[in-house]
């Protein structure tokens, strides 16, 4: 009983760190795309419109991120309804965009920092770190949240997180708690 729960928790932790590593790799490439587009835009075509430049750079990087996360990081969790998944992804990225652009806005209009390095750090370092933390958990729990049917040892991951357990073959719910399984012999 305790061993089964411990095995599941270890399995979830292993899966979580694999997802974090893949998400980090996708994020690293998205960071390069976001930063390159941001620098190009606020140094050239959108000079003087740094907040909008950051927003546009974030959108470009987000499109790459959705494709990479859908087909690599969370491929085992992608939803069957692609439109719903894309809409949820877009909503979560709008929040991430607001976080990054808000950091640029705060640096420029509240802190009165107008030099390019300060605005870059505000948007592409501080904003990106805060946005990335938000995005990982949003993607993991709301966007790419299908159960892991392809990997049986993780097929009940939502149950552990939610504190519920559905009995499997040969198991019955504990009369005392109704949660942890008791193996029938």
């Amino acid at each position: 009983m305790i061993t089964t729960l411990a095995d599941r928790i270890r399995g979830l932790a292993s899966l979580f760190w694999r997802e974090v590593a893949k998400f980090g790799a996708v994020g690293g490439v998205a960071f390069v795309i976001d930063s390159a587009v941001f620098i190009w835009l606020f140094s050239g075509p959108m000079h003087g419109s740094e907040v909008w430049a950051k927003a546009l750079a974030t959108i470009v990087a987000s499109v790459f991120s959705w494709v990479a996360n859908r087909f690599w990081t969370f491929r085992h969790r992608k939803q069957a309804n692609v439109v719903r998944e894309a809409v949820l992804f877009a909503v979560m990225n709008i929040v991430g965009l607001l976080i990054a652009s808000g950091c640029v806005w705060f640096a420029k209009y509240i802190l009165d920092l107008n030099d390019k390095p300060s605005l870059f750090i505000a948007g592409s370092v501080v904003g990106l770190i805060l946005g990335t933390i938000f995005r990982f958990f949003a993607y993991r729990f709301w966007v790419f949240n299908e159960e892991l049917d392809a990997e049986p040892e993780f097929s009940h991951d939502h149950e552990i997180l939610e504190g519920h357990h559905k009995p499997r073959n040969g198991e019955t719910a504990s009369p005392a708690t109704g949660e942890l399984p008791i193996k029938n012999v």
Side-chain angles (χ1 to χ4, degrees):
M1 175 166 68
I2 299 294
T3 304
T4 303
L5 183 58
D7 289 343
R8 286 190 183 162
I9 291 172
R10 272 193 299 279
L12 283 175
S14 171
L15 173 67
F16 179 75
W17 287 114
R18 281 185 284 163
E19 288 178 344
V20 168
K22 289 178 179 180
F23 183 79
V26 169
V29 174
F31 172 78
V32 171
I33 293 168
D34 181 277
S35 299
V37 171
F38 182 47
I39 290 169
W40 174 69
L41 288 173
F42 85 67
S43 295
M46 297 184 85
H47 180 71
S49 298
E50 292 85 0
V51 175
W52 288 108
K54 184 61 188 171
L56 189 56
T58 301
I59 290 168
V60 171
S62 294
V63 170
F64 162 78
S65 180
W66 180 64
V67 171
N69 280 309
R70 177 172 171 71
F71 293 105
W72 188 47
T73 308
F74 300 111
R75 71 180 178 274
H76 53 284
R77 294 181 174 281
K78 62 186 176 185
Q79 296 184 16
N81 186 339
V82 178
V83 173
R84 181 179 186 278
E85 181 183 272
V87 168
L88 282 171
F89 190 88
V91 168
M92 299 309 161
N93 273 288
I94 288 169
V95 174
L97 179 148
L98 292 173
I99 291 168
S101 295
C103 290
V104 173
W105 178 87
F106 186 81
K108 184 172 183 169
Y109 297 107
I110 302 298
L111 300 178
D112 199 31
L113 300 171
N114 292 304
D115 59 294
K116 290 179 183 176
S118 296
L119 295 174
F120 178 81
I121 290 169
S124 292
V125 177
V126 177
L128 201 63
I129 289 170
L130 296 175
T132 298
I133 292 167
F134 168 78
R135 282 184 184 104
F136 177 78
F137 289 102
Y139 296 171
R140 172 66 172 78
F141 293 105
W142 292 302
V143 179
F144 303 108
N145 64 350
E146 291 297 313
E147 287 195 43
L148 300 174
D149 296 330
E151 297 182 49
E153 66 269 25
F154 303 118
S155 64
H156 301 285
D157 64 332
H158 284 273
E159 296 166 5
I160 291 173
L161 296 172
E162 296 168 6
H164 304 289
H165 180 74
K166 296 177 187 172
R168 294 182 293 186
N169 293 341
E171 295 178 338
T172 58
S174 167
T177 64
E179 292 180 9
L180 297 176
I182 299 173
K183 189 78 168 174
N184 289 337
V185 181

